[in-house]
Amino acid sequence: MDLNIAGIRLDVTEDGYLTDVSQWNKDIGLEIAKNEGIEMTDRHWEVVSWLQEQVKNDVALSIRGIKKSGVLDIKEFYALFPKGPLKISTKIAGVPKPKSCI
Amino acid sequence: MKNLIILGAGTSGTMMANHLVSKLPKKDWSITIIDQYKTHYYQPGFLFLPFDTYTEDQVKKVGKKFIPKGVNYIQKKIDKILPVDNQVVLEDETLDYDLLIIATGSKIVPEETEGLLGPLWKKDIFDFYTFEGALALRNKLREWDGGKLVIHITEMPIKCPVAPLEFAFLADSYFTKKGMRDKVEITYVTPLSGAFTKPTCSKSLSYLLSEKGIHMEADFAIERVDNEKKEIVDYGDKTIPFDLLVTVPTNMGDELIERSGLGDDLNFIPTHKHTLQSIEHENIFVIGDATNVPASKAGSVAHFQAETLTDNILLYIKGYTLKEEFDGHANCFIETGNNKALLIDFNYNTEPVHGTFPFPKIGPLKLLKESIFNHWGKLAFRWIYWNMLLKGIAIPFVSRNMSFKGKIFDIKRN
Ligand SMILES: Cc1cc2nc3c(=O)[nH]c(=O)nc-3n(C[C@H](O)[C@H](O)[C@H](O)COP(=O)(O)OP(=O)(O)OC[C@H]3O[C@@H](n4cnc5c(N)ncnc54)[C@H](O)[C@@H]3O)c2cc1C
């Protein structure tokens, strides 16, 4: 599948996650956020960068990991990205959808 | 004389003792296995206990019976491992090892969820991942007169990830047979996005839930249990009311792993996913539920791991490079109720597929399709477990690595 954002054609998975993280930029993040009904604030972007950092360092993302992150607590995570915070924030960050495995 | 010590005499530890006793030269190596409990439980049977399908005696035996002659068996609690000194500390003695196999499994930790151990625990809230929990739930179900039944997974990973779903299917059959299905509302609550952990399964099998009238709540990350209002609450303030809550609490490795500084957040041990050697210490190997490898925590997986690990222990002792062989192979029956079951076969890289098993075209077992034959397979597994699996006897025709013969790749991956 592909997605057209800000005039750029992007490869995405069936549920809308970028397949190539290197294609990501802030405009794209903004556009995905809009589709998810989320208005991005500085705090949102901080969380997004932190997520990208984690993925770069091969850290598996999970709700429990958020609890121990020291960056934000789960309540705030839900407040920023209501409903499915991990799913939505990773989509905006352009990183793969976390596999809650097996 | 060198010492090989196996920690834990559950499914994996017992299999390793049986594999190694005949393969390690007796004049050079002594093998010791340690477990805290006298009883060995057949954990897959815990799924059937609550529904009075199995009796207590069918799921427990004296563990020592399965430890081969020539292996020292110690029934004591393990306090910790001192990996730098190559020692294991027990409650009242310390042992030296040259080679260590950790097989201490995983267990439920209800303390991790606020309110779970509140006033309703074992009254209206139960687990079926322990022998005691499954029995208490059986007694409850015998007298329960209906209401909202909520079946719930706290967080992943859990051992036998399909067990809660099987529980929901079996509950549907159980209440139908009792003539009270109309009095029971069944809701299945999961932190995942779908009922199955594997997307291809969710796609091809979600009909089962609607067919059985089971409601599903996905993406539910529990924050706490409200004992007063009788509801579970998630971090997004979503609430689900219950009359009877059957939950799978957080699964973690034993505290001994934490005390030894060997585990991750959940006390699972970082392990090489193809060789099963621990990442940090080359003379420590890890098998079964105790590892952090991204495979299912299941007895069938441990069985395939045991074959690779046995080869790797022998290679390691002789100073050869280890085989990077284990592929995450899992082979699980899924009970779907009404005496039918599904069979799924997958590994690290390949999602469950359609086809036949173990023989191409012939079967007799069908992959990803409900059949009565598969149900017999699941029930036969208990016999296979006690009589073949624990003793390290290979299951006929089923190989340690996933086979692609007879499989049809017709479900698209996400
Ligand atoms: C409800 C349920 C249904 C399941 N269904 C299936 C199924 O259908 N198919 C399937 O393949 N698998 C199934 N499983 C999973 C399967 O039972 C486990 O994956 C398997 O038992 C793992 O083996 P193990 O040796 O790693 O751990 P375990 O068998 O749990 O053994 C660990 C051992 O270590 C010992 N130990 C731990 N800490 C200490 C300590 N500090 N001191 C001394 N001893 C210690 C414990 O006493 C225990 O005996 C199911 C599990 C459950 C709970």
Side-chain angles (χ1 to χ4, degrees):
Chain A
M1 252 171 73
D2 53 31
L3 187 73
N4 224 316
I5 285 180
I8 307 169
R9 258 196 41 192
L10 300 166
D11 291 329
V12 294
T13 62
E14 244 173 76
D15 35 12
Y17 289 76
L18 297 198
T19 51
D20 179 3
V21 182
S22 72
Q23 285 189 316
W24 187 89
N25 62 40
K26 228 171 150 169
D27 286 339
I28 291 167
L30 203 60
E31 206 60 37
I32 299 174
K34 224 187 256 166
N35 291 340
E36 295 289 332
I38 287 175
E39 207 168 307
M40 298 294 284
T41 64
D42 287 352
R43 188 60 180 148
H44 285 91
W45 290 118
E46 266 171 46
V47 174
V48 163
S49 326
W50 178 77
L51 290 171
Q52 291 167 333
E53 197 65 26
Q54 299 299 298
V55 171
K56 218 186 268 165
N57 296 331
D58 271 339
V59 181
L61 298 171
S62 67
I63 290 284
R64 173 172 287 267
I66 300 289
K67 211 190 286 185
K68 302 216 164 155
S69 69
V71 174
L72 76 170
D73 61 27
I74 304 177
K75 274 278 179 221
E76 187 189 1
F77 199 30
Y78 267 85
L80 292 169
F81 306 95
K83 300 218 169 87
L86 206 53
K87 276 199 306 191
I88 296 170
S89 62
T90 47
K91 195 186 269 191
I92 297 170
V95 297
K97 182 174 174 181
K99 274 203 219 95
S100 286
C101 60
I102 340 301
Chain B
M1 199 68 166
K2 291 192 166 165
N3 294 317
L4 181 143
I5 299 185
I6 303 171
L7 303 183
T11 314
S12 314
T14 303
M15 284 191 296
M16 287 314 295
N18 281 296
H19 275 299
L20 290 171
V21 72
S22 57
K23 302 213 171 70
L24 284 184
K26 285 210 175 39
K27 58 180 191 349
D28 304 327
W29 283 90
S30 112
I31 306 176
T32 301
I33 187 163
I34 308 164
D35 201 290
Q36 56 198 340
Y37 301 127
K38 217 161 104 183
T39 306
H40 185 123
Y41 292 102
Y42 173 60
Q43 298 176 45
F46 295 171
L47 172 66
F48 297 100
L49 265 185
F51 303 110
D52 269 321
T53 316
Y54 282 169
T55 60
E56 286 120 291
D57 292 343
Q58 287 175 309
V59 302
K60 59 180 211 185
K61 295 197 192 268
V62 175
K64 202 172 170 197
K65 267 181 50 181
F66 299 92
I67 307 301
K69 258 214 211 111
V71 170
N72 313 313
Y73 175 81
I74 301 179
Q75 194 211 316
K76 278 184 192 167
K77 198 168 167 67
I78 305 152
D79 179 34
K80 64 176 167 227
I81 302 159
L82 304 172
V84 178
D85 304 322
N86 297 316
Q87 287 182 325
V88 174
V89 182
L90 309 186
E91 49 196 59
D92 58 358
E93 62 177 318
T94 299
L95 308 174
D96 294 302
Y97 65 81
D98 295 281
L99 205 55
L100 187 69
I101 298 175
I102 304 179
T104 45
S106 78
K107 59 178 185 185
I108 59 161
V109 189
E111 291 83 356
E112 286 285 306
T113 306
E114 190 190 323
L116 193 50
L117 292 180
L120 296 184
W121 180 247
K122 298 264 159 96
K123 271 184 67 198
D124 296 312
I125 304 178
F126 295 86
D127 80 278
F128 66 98
Y129 267 47
T130 57
F131 180 69
E132 297 75 21
L135 270 190
L137 180 54
R138 179 195 69 187
N139 296 340
K140 175 78 183 182
L141 288 180
R142 281 179 180 172
E143 55 172 45
W144 195 50
D145 50 16
K148 294 187 173 70
L149 168 63
V150 172
I151 298 152
H152 164 254
I153 301 177
T154 303
E155 65 182 304
M156 300 303 287
I158 58 171
K159 52 183 157 186
C160 199
V162 289
L165 195 57
E166 295 180 275
F167 188 93
F169 294 152
L170 291 176
D172 168 67
S173 291
Y174 175 83
F175 292 120
T176 306
K177 256 187 236 142
K178 273 185 133 182
M180 56 182 282
R181 182 63 182 88
D182 56 333
K183 296 208 182 78
V184 181
E185 194 181 298
I186 305 179
T187 307
Y188 183 74
V189 185
T190 167
L192 301 172
S193 307
F196 290 83
T197 50
K198 295 280 180 186
T200 56
C201 286
S202 275
K203 267 193 183 167
S204 50
L205 299 174
S206 50
Y207 75 91
L208 285 168
L209 289 161
S210 43
E211 190 183 276
K212 296 172 195 299
I214 298 169
H215 311 283
M216 187 172 82
E217 288 280 351
D219 294 312
F220 187 94
I222 190 168
E223 184 193 10
R224 62 193 169 86
V225 180
D226 190 328
N227 282 263
E228 245 159 58
K229 291 197 191 134
K230 284 188 115 176
E231 55 190 27
I232 49 177
V233 184
D234 97 337
Y235 285 102
D237 292 327
K238 200 167 20 164
T239 57
I240 297 170
F242 65 84
D243 294 305
L244 178 57
L245 175 66
V246 176
T247 184
V248 180
T250 302
N251 279 210
M252 292 174 79
D254 196 83
E255 299 89 346
L256 111 94
I257 304 302
E258 190 179 1
R259 288 194 292 269
S260 314
L262 286 172
D264 62 14
D265 278 358
L266 291 168
N267 301 341
F268 294 127
I269 304 160
T271 305
H272 190 291
K273 69 178 193 174
H274 298 298
T275 65
L276 303 175
Q277 189 175 37
S278 86
I279 301 288
E280 275 180 64
H281 304 278
E282 66 160 25
N283 63 342
I284 300 183
F285 291 80
V286 196
I287 181 169
D289 295 353
T291 76
N292 78 334
V293 304
S296 275
K297 295 193 184 299
S300 69
V301 175
H303 166 78
F304 299 130
Q305 287 178 335
E307 297 185 0
T308 296
L309 183 55
T310 302
D311 291 351
N312 273 346
I313 298 270
L314 299 176
L315 289 169
Y316 177 81
I317 286 171
K318 292 183 193 140
Y320 291 113
T321 317
L322 304 183
K323 281 198 218 174
E324 298 204 359
E325 177 187 67
F326 179 64
D327 64 352
H329 188 192
N331 183 265
C332 303
F333 289 103
I334 305 177
E335 281 291 302
T336 52
N338 306 320
N339 300 330
K340 285 190 196 159
L342 294 156
L343 178 64
I344 57 174
D345 197 56
F346 57 95
N347 69 12
Y348 286 140
N349 300 316
T350 313
E351 294 264 327
V353 290
H354 284 133
T356 52
F357 190 86
F359 302 111
K361 300 223 172 76
I362 298 167
L365 304 176
K366 284 199 171 63
L367 293 168
L368 263 183
K369 289 235 163 69
E370 276 185 288
S371 83
I372 289 176
F373 220 97
N374 289 339
H375 168 69
W376 294 349
K378 175 104 180 178
L379 297 185
F381 191 63
R382 186 170 61 90
W383 187 90
I384 291 177
Y385 184 88
W386 293 119
N387 295 288
M388 295 177 75
L389 202 94
L390 286 183
K391 294 178 181 160
I393 301 171
I395 302 173
F397 318 117
V398 181
S399 71
R400 60 180 81 171
N401 289 125
M402 183 175 169
S403 152
F404 291 93
K405 288 185 206 137
K407 298 195 173 148
I408 307 160
F409 294 81
D410 59 352
I411 312 168
K412 238 174 95 186
R413 202 194 165 127
N414 273 341

